[in-house]
Amino acid sequence: MIAGKGCLVLAAALLAGCAGAIPVRVERPTGNAPSPAAEAPDLFRGVPGKYRELADSVERAGDLRRALLYRKVVEGFAPDDADARGQVERLKRKIRGQADRHYLAALALEKNGESAKAMREFLAVLLLDPDNEAALRRVKNEGAGLEFRFWTVREGDTLRKIAGEVYRDPDKEFLIAYFNPLPKGSLLSVGTGLRLPDVDTGPPATTEKAPGYSHPVKEGNGHRNAVERKEDAGRKLREADAHYAAGIRRFLAEDLDGAIREWEKTLSLDPAHPKARTDIEKARRLKGRIESPK
Amino acid sequence: MRARGLSPLLLLSILIWGCAGPEIRPPALPPPAPPVTTAPPTTARGFPDFIVAIVRPGDSYSSLAAKYLGDRSMDWFLSEFNGNTLPAPGQDVLIPLASYAPGGLWPTGYQTVPVLTYHKLSRNGIPDAMTVREADFEAQMRFLRENGYRVLPLDDLFEFLRFRRQIPARSVVITFDDGWRSVYDIAWPILKKYGYPATLFVYTDLIVGSRETLSWDQVRELSRNGFDIEGHSKTHRYLGRRERKESFRDYFESVRKEIVESARIILKHTGREVKYLAYPYGDTNSLVAAMTRREGYRLAFTVERESVPFFSNDYRVSREMIYGTFTLKDFENNLTTFHKFGSE
C-alpha cells in the first residue's frame, strides 16, 4: 500500500508548489545551490533512443499500451520533437481504432452465439482500453447477470399480479418487495423498473464429496468454466439486442406500443441496456402527445 | 502491496508531476554539506505517467518503490514491468505511475488468483480431507515464500475483481472455514512467522469455545492480528437447497437469517463489518446469490476448484480446498496464477 513515507513525499511535493515545466528534478541536492555555470552530467542522454527502439519492438509484438508508454518517454525527453509527439498521437489513434474493431467483433460474435470468442474479443478491448465500461460490463455480466430479470411496470400492475405472472405464484410478491424497496402502501407507477430474482432452489449441478466430511466441492475445469458460465448471460444479451432492434423497427413504423413492448423485453433481459430505458420514455412521451393533443 | 490504477495517491502523484513542482523535498534532509561548485547529477525525472530514474549503487526494486511509490512492498510493481534483474548502476529504470495491467490482463493471457481453503489442522495424526497436518501446512507456506507467491488479504482480491487494481502476478489468498480451534493454535503461529494475512469465515453457532472450537475472545484476538473475520452463515445449513418440508417463504426467511444474523453477531463480537460470505459447502443458487448482494456483501465464495480471473461473478467466486491428503505437488497444482490465451 502506498502510504506513510510516500504521503509525506507527495505532500512535500505539493507544498513545493506548482510552477515550472516538466521534467522535474526528484532529488534535492544536499549542498548549497549549484553555480549557474556548472553543468551536471546528463545521465539521461541515451534514454530517448533506447525507448524509441523499445517502443518499435513492443509495438511490432502487439503490446500497444506498453509501446505508448515508451513513446511517451521519448516525447517527454524530447518535448520539441514533432516526430516524437506525432508518434504518440498516431499510436493513440491506432489503439482507439483496434479497440473499436475488437468491440464490434465481440458484439457480432455474441450475436452469433459464440460467447467464448466474444469474451476473448471483449478482453482484447479492455487490454487496449481499460476504461471501456461497456466491455467491462460485458465480461463481468453486470446488469445481465444470472440472478435477475427486469420488469417495467405497466398499467394495472400490482406486485401480486407480477408475481403471479413471473413466478406463477402470487404469494411470491414478498420477493419483489424485498428486492425493490418501495414506499409502504404506495402504488406502483407505470414505467418503474423492478428487479426480479430468478428463483432456482434446486441442488448444485455437480459435487465432489470429500472423504470423511459431508462437504461437497465442485471441481472446476480451468477457465473454460468461467467462460461457459457466461453462455446463458450471453444468450440473454443477444436476445436483448434482437428485441431492441425490433423495437426500433416498430418505432420507425410508428407502432409506439409495439416499440415499447420490444424495449421492455430488452430491459427484462438486459436491465443495464444503454438505450432501451430512455427510448421507452421517449416513446411514452411521444405517445402521450399524440393521444392528448392540446 | 497493490498497484492502484486510479488510486488517490497515484492520481495525486500524477497531478504533482503534471503541474511540475520543480523540486521535491524529501521529508528528512541531512544537514547542509559544504559548498559545492558543480551541480549533482539529476537522478530521476518525472512526467504525468511515469518517472525515469537512474539506478545508483545499493538500489533495489524495494528501495526504488519506497522512494518513488512510497511503499517498499511495491517492488513487484517495478520488477514485473522492468524484468527481474534491476539494471546496473548508471542505467535507467522506468517507473510507471499507474497500473499497466489492471485485472492482470496481458496480451498473452490473464492472471488468476488461487483462493485456498482450509478447515482444521492437527499437530500429528493421520491427515484426512478436512484436516491438514501442521508440518504439511508449514511446508505449504514455505513453498509459497520460496516460489515468489504473495499472500493478499481479501480486500485486495475485491479490488482486483473490480478491474481497477493491479496485484502481484503470483498472488494467493488464504482462507479458513468454520472456526476450529486449530486455526488459533496451529495455523496462526505459522502465518505470523511468514507475515501472511488470512481470512477466517466463521459460522457463528460454532464459536462456543471448546477444545475443538474457537471462542469469541480468540476470534477477536485473531481479528486484531492479521485475520479478517467474515461470514459463513449462522448454522452452516445448505443455502442453495430448500428442505423437502420447507415452504418457499420459510426457506427464504431461513436463508436471510443465515446471512444477516451471522453478520450481526460477528459485528457485535469483533466490532468489524462483515463484507464477504463463504457459502456453507460452497452451495448457492441464483436466489441466494441475489440475496447476498441485496444484503450488502461485496463478494461471496463457492468451493469450485479453479483460481479466479478478474471477470469472475462476484457472488460465485471460486475457492480451492486444500485437503490434508494432498502432497506438496497436489498443493502446487492448485496454484495456477495465469491463463494463457489459446490454451482452452
Side-chain angles (χ1 to χ4, degrees):
Chain A
M1 188 176 292
I2 301 171
K5 190 178 169 191
C7 288
L8 287 173
V9 171
L10 294 171
L14 269 183
L15 291 173
C18 275
I22 53 176
V24 299
R25 189 156 83 195
V26 171
E27 293 186 312
R28 182 188 183 208
T30 53
N32 290 349
S35 152
E39 284 193 13
D42 184 4
L43 300 174
F44 299 91
R45 199 171 41 214
V47 166
K50 171 185 168 182
Y51 285 93
R52 191 175 289 118
E53 276 183 29
L54 282 171
D56 290 344
S57 165
V58 296
E59 186 176 342
R60 274 197 302 276
D63 191 349
L64 300 190
R65 287 189 65 226
R66 180 176 283 246
L68 180 61
L69 186 58
Y70 289 156
R71 297 224 181 271
K72 286 180 175 177
V73 174
V74 178
E75 184 192 28
F77 280 84
D80 299 326
D81 182 341
D83 179 59
R85 203 164 48 249
Q87 289 286 353
V88 168
E89 292 309 314
R90 177 194 61 76
L91 191 48
K92 281 181 179 172
R93 283 195 301 275
K94 184 174 177 179
I95 287 172
R96 271 198 303 274
Q98 286 203 9
D100 288 347
R101 277 197 293 282
H102 281 297
Y103 189 74
L104 291 174
L107 292 180
L109 287 163
E110 204 176 62
K111 198 170 180 181
N112 290 337
E114 297 180 77
S115 295
K117 287 181 182 169
M119 177 75 172
R120 175 71 185 84
E121 292 294 329
F122 282 128
L123 291 176
V125 175
L126 290 172
L127 187 62
L128 292 158
D129 177 12
D131 295 324
N132 190 316
E133 289 296 332
L136 183 60
R137 196 172 68 86
R138 288 303 234 245
V139 301
K140 290 289 284 183
N141 281 340
E142 279 173 12
L146 304 177
E147 281 83 26
F148 289 102
R149 67 179 80 177
F150 198 80
W151 182 274
T152 304
V153 175
R154 297 181 299 221
E155 196 69 47
D157 272 353
T158 62
L159 294 187
R160 195 163 178 76
K161 184 168 172 244
I162 298 168
E165 195 165 326
V166 173
Y167 300 124
R168 307 273 177 262
D169 180 1
D171 288 344
K172 287 198 173 74
E173 63 179 319
F174 74 90
L175 267 186
I176 307 175
Y178 171 75
F179 283 104
N180 300 276
L182 301 162
K184 204 165 186 176
S186 68
L187 293 172
L188 292 174
S189 55
V190 173
T192 301
L194 298 175
R195 280 151 41 105
L196 309 182
D198 277 354
V199 177
D200 143 34
T201 57
T206 54
T207 56
E208 165 204 332
K209 203 148 195 163
Y213 192 90
S214 57
H215 197 149
V217 182
K218 287 184 194 175
E219 281 295 339
N221 187 18
H223 296 290
R224 284 184 290 271
N225 276 8
V227 172
E228 285 161 9
R229 276 201 302 272
K230 297 178 188 307
E231 293 284 344
D232 193 27
R235 179 186 53 74
K236 283 185 180 180
L237 291 173
R238 286 193 301 280
E239 287 177 16
D241 286 344
H243 283 297
Y244 180 74
I248 294 286
R249 284 195 297 276
R250 287 186 180 276
F251 186 84
L252 293 174
E254 299 182 5
D255 175 8
L256 296 181
D257 286 328
I260 291 168
R261 272 197 305 277
E262 291 293 345
W263 291 333
E264 282 175 349
K265 284 178 191 165
T266 302
L267 284 179
S268 73
L269 293 158
D270 180 4
H273 191 279
K275 289 184 176 169
R277 195 180 311 279
T278 51
D279 286 353
I280 289 172
E281 286 164 11
K282 278 183 206 162
R284 285 212 172 98
R285 279 200 300 273
L286 190 58
K287 195 166 161 252
R289 283 206 292 274
I290 292 168
E291 286 172 357
S292 53
K294 290 190 177 175
Chain B
M1 183 62 100
R2 65 213 173 195
R4 306 162 180 205
L6 296 170
S7 80
L9 283 172
L10 276 182
L11 283 173
L12 179 62
S13 161
I14 289 165
L15 184 68
I16 291 159
W17 296 113
C19 69
E23 187 177 348
I24 290 179
R25 294 164 191 268
L29 291 174
V36 292
T37 54
T38 53
T42 300
T43 55
R45 290 186 180 178
F47 298 84
D49 298 336
F50 59 89
I51 296 168
V52 177
I54 301 298
V55 178
R56 296 187 306 183
D59 272 344
S60 63
Y61 279 128
S62 296
S63 69
L64 293 172
K67 188 171 183 178
Y68 297 113
L69 302 176
D71 184 352
R72 174 170 289 275
S73 73
M74 291 280 288
D75 55 339
W76 62 270
F77 186 70
L78 303 183
S79 64
E80 288 177 14
F81 186 82
N82 290 285
N84 283 334
T85 309
L86 184 67
Q91 302 287 305
D92 63 271
V93 63
L94 182 56
I95 299 170
L97 291 176
S99 296
Y100 46 85
L105 184 57
W106 297 87
T108 50
Y110 52 82
Q111 180 176 1
T112 61
V113 181
V115 182
L116 309 179
T117 303
Y118 296 88
H119 286 75
K120 295 179 185 174
L121 294 96
S122 70
R123 299 260 182 229
N124 293 300
I126 300 165
D128 59 46
M130 295 296 137
T131 311
V132 176
R133 279 192 307 208
E134 180 178 22
D136 292 337
F137 185 70
E138 163 94 42
Q140 291 165 5
M141 297 302 104
R142 193 183 323 119
F143 182 90
L144 295 178
R145 169 61 47 84
E146 289 173 352
N147 289 278
Y149 292 91
R150 305 264 183 147
V151 180
L152 302 186
L154 267 192
D155 283 345
D156 284 11
L157 180 73
F158 173 72
E159 294 298 336
F160 168 79
L161 292 172
R162 301 254 69 72
F163 193 63
R164 284 292 169 260
R165 283 189 189 162
Q166 191 170 340
I167 57 176
R170 292 190 142 202
S171 291
V172 171
V173 172
I174 296 174
T175 69
F176 296 86
D177 278 4
D178 300 342
W180 301 105
R181 169 78 182 254
S182 55
V183 173
Y184 180 91
D185 291 337
I186 300 173
W188 181 29
I190 295 170
L191 292 167
K192 211 162 27 175
K193 175 178 163 187
Y194 288 93
Y196 292 163
T199 295
L200 175 61
F201 288 108
V202 295
Y203 76 90
T204 51
D205 281 3
L206 187 72
I207 310 304
V208 294
S210 68
R211 279 186 62 227
E212 289 284 315
T213 66
L214 289 166
S215 68
W216 282 111
D217 280 342
Q218 289 162 335
V219 170
R220 264 191 299 277
E221 195 176 350
L222 291 173
S223 174
R224 286 194 296 263
N225 288 280
F227 269 81
D228 190 13
I229 311 299
E230 300 293 343
H232 192 40
S233 82
K234 183 173 182 297
T235 70
H236 208 275
R237 73 160 281 172
Y238 282 94
L239 297 182
R241 303 176 191 188
R242 179 152 62 106
E243 300 298 327
R244 206 175 294 266
K245 291 179 182 170
E246 201 172 31
S247 73
F248 183 84
R249 183 69 190 244
D250 287 346
Y251 165 71
F252 170 84
E253 294 299 345
S254 168
V255 169
R256 188 177 182 189
K257 187 175 175 187
E258 292 283 347
I259 60 181
V260 172
E261 185 69 1
S262 56
R264 189 192 63 75
I265 292 169
I266 293 169
L267 174 64
K268 179 182 145 200
H269 285 285
T270 66
R272 296 189 180 174
E273 296 278 354
V274 168
K275 296 174 282 188
Y276 308 107
L277 176 73
Y279 301 116
Y281 310 101
D283 180 45
T284 187
N285 61 37
S286 298
L287 177 63
V288 173
M291 292 173 72
T292 306
R293 181 195 296 258
R294 163 75 173 79
E295 294 300 341
Y297 285 91
R298 291 167 145 192
L299 301 174
F301 294 83
T302 66
V303 280
E304 198 159 344
R305 191 176 295 285
E306 62 185 10
S307 55
V308 179
F310 77 88
F311 51 81
S312 284
N313 182 322
D314 289 347
Y315 294 89
R316 294 172 193 264
V317 183
S318 303
R319 294 188 299 160
E320 302 174 77
M321 295 248 300
I322 304 302
Y323 294 157
T325 49
F326 275 9
T327 63
L328 201 55
K329 184 68 187 164
D330 295 329
F331 176 74
E332 187 182 357
N333 288 341
N334 282 272
L335 297 176
T336 304
T337 54
F338 194 74
H339 178 86
K340 200 172 172 186
F341 288 130
S343 62
E344 291 86 4

